[in-house]
Amino acid sequence: MTVRLPAWRWFFPLAALHAALMVPLSLLSLYHQWEVFPQLASPAAHARELVFGFALAVVAGYLLGPLPRRRLAWLVALWGLGRLGVLVWPLMYVATLADAVFALWVAGLLVPRFMAAKKWRNRILSPLLGLICLLGVVTLTWRYLGDLPTTAPLMHQSVLWLVLLMTFMGGRIIAPAVNGYLMRQFGQSGAGVQPRIEAALIVLLGLAPFLMLWPRLQPLAAVLALAAGALVLWRLYRWAPGQCRGRPDLLALMAGYAWLGVGLLLMARTWWLPAHDSAPLHAFTIGALGTLASAIMLRQAILRAKGRPEREWSLLPLVALFATAATLRLWALETGSVWLGVLWGAAAAWSLAWLLVAWRLRHWLARQPVPHTAGN
């Protein structure tokens, strides 16, 4: 008999602890000449750890499902060794290989799963996940070659494709959860997935990353981002957040989705008036990714423990912490001489939030049923 474990049981707690630790270490390495972790002393390293260290672990945990214990252990070991590549210099080359193998293995497990979907909107996950994992391999070059001129654009592209993934998956999680609640509470269904809006968002967010690569086309990319941001917020409005006041878990998911809309509007402004402005990226990676990922992780753990997500007291404080972190990070460059203190404030709110997530995950994991077995 083979014991199968849900991938999220291992990846979610590890990803939460990684997120809590990595941002303060990045600030120490970037701005305080802390030479203990030289591989974190670049914006590219910081961005890559957030996208392909943290976010890819969350994606793997959520989408891989139950896996044989040995296979899951290998995946987790590869991911962990990949993280050591930025912390321990002698392990850099081995860790880089491990990180690449992890991304390719995740792609090999997930990409074929969605290729057989009947609707094109569902099949889009297959190339999207494959592209994100491929970028996870390509962006490893910074470990050998430093901050090349291509590094920042590649990380920018990686975040934009992650935005499309969050927009798609967030809608697929929020819509049925809200519908179920509205049907039980009020006897009426909600707006649901809103397939036309979803299709439009896939097209807009699929074209914008390519158009932004050419300066002359960036104004057109800005128009697409503006339209996508407006559609995200309209879609959110139609989910009737005002009727979900009794469901903090649903409100937390919607707050994360709202950050996607805010980030897209900020991105449109940046592309329309080209400037070296990282604000939209942090709206996506701190506000949207932090809030959505934490809510999804905790709901998954609570539901599998047969608990009630609406009774989880930490969800709304988490929304506030991630909002604080995102707002401070967006505001930091406008604060003059105190900008570094503001950055540390954002990092403190971010890390506190993820430590809280890790603690609550531990609480709910202790209430999980015994893993099931399957025949060989």
Side-chain angles (χ1 to χ4, degrees), residues 94-268:
V94 174
T96 298
L97 177 61
D99 219 4
V101 172
F102 170 73
L104 292 174
W105 197 352
V106 169
L109 292 171
L110 292 180
V111 170
R113 183 178 302 178
F114 298 101
M115 291 180 66
K118 294 181 179 180
K119 296 180 179 179
W120 72 270
R121 290 182 291 114
N122 297 331
R123 287 199 300 271
I124 196 68
L125 271 179
S126 183
L128 179 58
L129 289 167
L131 178 59
I132 290 172
C133 291
L134 180 61
L135 284 167
V137 176
V138 173
T139 52
L140 283 166
T141 54
W142 67 264
R143 287 186 180 171
Y144 296 101
L145 304 175
D147 286 325
L148 294 175
T150 57
T151 302
L154 278 175
M155 289 311 308
H156 201 156
Q157 286 283 310
S158 301
V159 173
L160 294 177
W161 293 117
L162 183 62
V163 168
L164 176 52
L165 181 64
M166 288 191 288
T167 303
F168 182 87
M169 292 301 301
R172 291 305 179 92
I173 293 168
I174 295 171
V178 170
N179 266 8
Y181 171 70
L182 294 179
M183 184 61 70
R184 291 190 302 271
Q185 191 74 9
F186 304 106
Q188 62 183 30
S189 60
V193 171
Q194 305 169 64
R196 291 182 181 179
I197 293 180
E198 182 181 73
L201 286 170
I202 291 172
V203 173
L204 292 170
L205 295 176
L207 290 175
F210 293 110
L211 295 179
M212 62 81 59
L213 293 172
W214 290 273
R216 291 184 179 181
L217 294 179
Q218 283 191 6
L220 178 56
V223 173
L224 298 186
L226 181 64
L231 280 178
V232 164
L233 296 177
W234 174 248
R235 190 185 195 192
L236 178 61
Y237 171 77
R238 295 192 66 208
W239 281 326
Q243 292 184 286
C244 300
R245 291 188 294 272
R247 290 294 302 266
D249 57 321
L250 301 183
L251 292 176
L253 289 169
M254 292 187 203
Y257 211 77
W259 274 108
L260 288 173
V262 171
L264 286 166
L265 297 181
L266 292 173
M267 183 70 74

Side-chain angles (χ1 to χ4, degrees), residues 270-296:
T270 300
W271 286 346
W272 190 263
L273 301 170
H276 299 290
D277 186 359
S278 62
L281 300 183
H282 290 99
F284 296 138
T285 54
I286 300 175
L289 179 59
T291 312
L292 274 174
S294 61
I296 289 170

